[in-house]
Amino acid sequence: MRPDRHESESPGRHGPGGPDRHDPERPDRHEPEEKHTHGRPPRPGPASGRLPRTPGRPLRIGLGGPVGSGKTALVAALCRSLADELRVAVVTNDIYTTEDADFLLRNGVLPAERVRAVETGCCPHTAIRDDISANLEAVEDLERELPPLDLVLIESGGDNLTATFSHGLIHHQIFVIDVSGGDKVPRKGGPGVTVSDLLVINKTDLAGQVNADLSVMARDAKEKRGDLPVRFLSLVEDPAAREVTAWVRGLLADGG
């Protein structure tokens, strides 16, 4: 029996370097990319091409952002808001633990069989951009065991403003920052801020306590992102994350 299969409350575990099963119908199947580097990542965007959405297969949305920005709490909110109308599954990434997957299970946002945990053992962006094999294996396991799925949320481990997902892994990316780092964060830029499909500025209820000016953050985000969308969020005031949920519903309605 596969050690990453489970029928209990423990999330399935996957490590980097999963099996490389060739599937000619998989446009996202590829050899691992060049060796890991901490240098500037390739700039994502429309010119780099997107993973095509295949009919009958789930929409994949990646969530990235710094440690403590609220990615897991947002994943939980999305699951609560969407699980009654969509067939949802989640893949989490942590370096040495299954902490984020365990949080989702403790809070009962999805049944245990719909959650997989990837232990990267390395910098989080390695497993979502440089060698995505462990995450692909986790997604494939979910698709095979729980067909048909509508939506798979893939949460990165906490990383810096350069963290982006490979377009071989996800269709769209949400990048989550929060006000506790100060209102300077959006103008610092980085690919996560500048070219993610949706930028979420989280924990707005704390702005007054850390002297963060939300209007400054809105201005700087607009300057860095142009017409790309930005959503301000407080899960204390809006536990359902209504605007982010509406954005996800819009992607599904438009065919991903």
Side-chain angles (χ1 to χ4, degrees), residues 222-233:
K222 174 68 175 176
E223 181 178 329
K224 291 292 185 182
R225 292 176 57 78
D227 293 332
L228 290 171
V230 179
R231 298 291 184 269
F232 285 83
L233 176 64

Side-chain angles (χ1 to χ4, degrees), residues 84-142:
D84 288 342
E85 62 190 82
L86 299 171
R87 291 158 294 202
V88 182
V90 173
V91 176
T92 66
N93 282 249
D94 280 298
I95 297 178
Y96 297 121
T97 71
T98 60
E99 177 74 20
D100 292 341
D102 295 338
F103 173 87
L104 298 176
L105 295 175
R106 284 196 308 271
N107 285 272
V109 299
L110 287 176
E113 65 270 14
R114 291 185 176 272
V115 178
R116 292 289 188 275
V118 172
E119 295 181 45
T120 65
C122 54
C123 294
H125 54 263
T126 301
I128 63 168
R129 188 181 71 218
D130 301 323
D131 179 0
I132 61 175
S133 55
N135 275 290
L136 279 177
E137 182 186 7
V139 172
E140 289 172 346
D141 285 350
L142 289 164

Side-chain angles (χ1 to χ4, degrees), residues 11-250:
R13 299 188 181 197
H14 298 260
D20 185 17
R21 299 187 296 273
H22 177 66
D23 182 348
E25 296 183 358
R26 283 294 297 272
D28 54 354
R29 176 67 68 209
H30 63 281
E31 294 298 322
E33 299 174 20
E34 294 182 2
K35 65 181 181 178
H36 167 62
T37 174
H38 282 275
R40 183 184 297 273
R43 184 176 179 85
S48 63
R50 288 190 181 276
L51 176 68
R53 180 83 190 279
T54 305
R57 302 190 72 173
L59 177 69
R60 303 181 199 165
I61 297 178
L63 292 93
V67 173
S69 61
K71 299 182 298 297
T72 310
L74 178 55
V75 169
L78 291 172
C79 290
R80 292 189 188 100
S81 296
L82 296 169
D84 288 342
E85 62 190 82
L86 299 171
R87 291 158 294 202
V88 182
V90 173
V91 176
T92 66
N93 282 249
D94 280 298
I95 297 178
Y96 297 121
T97 71
T98 60
E99 177 74 20
D100 292 341
D102 295 338
F103 173 87
L104 298 176
L105 295 175
R106 284 196 308 271
N107 285 272
V109 299
L110 287 176
E113 65 270 14
R114 291 185 176 272
V115 178
R116 292 289 188 275
V118 172
E119 295 181 45
T120 65
C122 54
C123 294
H125 54 263
T126 301
I128 63 168
R129 188 181 71 218
D130 301 323
D131 179 0
I132 61 175
S133 55
N135 275 290
L136 279 177
E137 182 186 7
V139 172
E140 289 172 346
D141 285 350
L142 289 164
E143 287 191 66
R144 183 173 57 252
E145 296 175 14
L146 300 166
L149 290 170
D150 299 309
L151 175 66
V152 178
L153 301 173
I154 303 171
E155 181 194 349
S156 171
D159 211 322
N160 57 39
L161 301 180
T162 69
T164 56
F165 285 77
S166 166
H167 282 168
L169 178 60
I170 53 98
H171 299 102
H172 297 279
Q173 176 176 348
I174 298 172
F175 198 76
V176 185
I177 61 175
D178 73 283
V179 304
S180 65
D183 54 26
K184 65 184 181 295
V185 175
R187 66 176 172 267
K188 287 181 173 290
V193 169
T194 59
V195 297
S196 57
D197 297 292
L198 178 66
L199 177 66
V200 174
I201 299 176
N202 196 18
K203 304 183 185 178
T204 57
D205 52 294
L206 300 178
Q209 299 180 48
V210 295
N211 296 317
D213 188 329
L214 298 182
S215 67
V216 168
M217 300 185 84
R219 180 200 67 199
D220 292 345
K222 174 68 175 176
E223 181 178 329
K224 291 292 185 182
R225 292 176 57 78
D227 293 332
L228 290 171
V230 179
R231 298 291 184 269
F232 285 83
L233 176 64
S234 165
L235 288 170
V236 173
E237 299 169 356
D238 179 16
R242 287 170 292 182
E243 291 191 20
V244 181
T245 300
W247 183 81
V248 173
R249 286 195 181 105

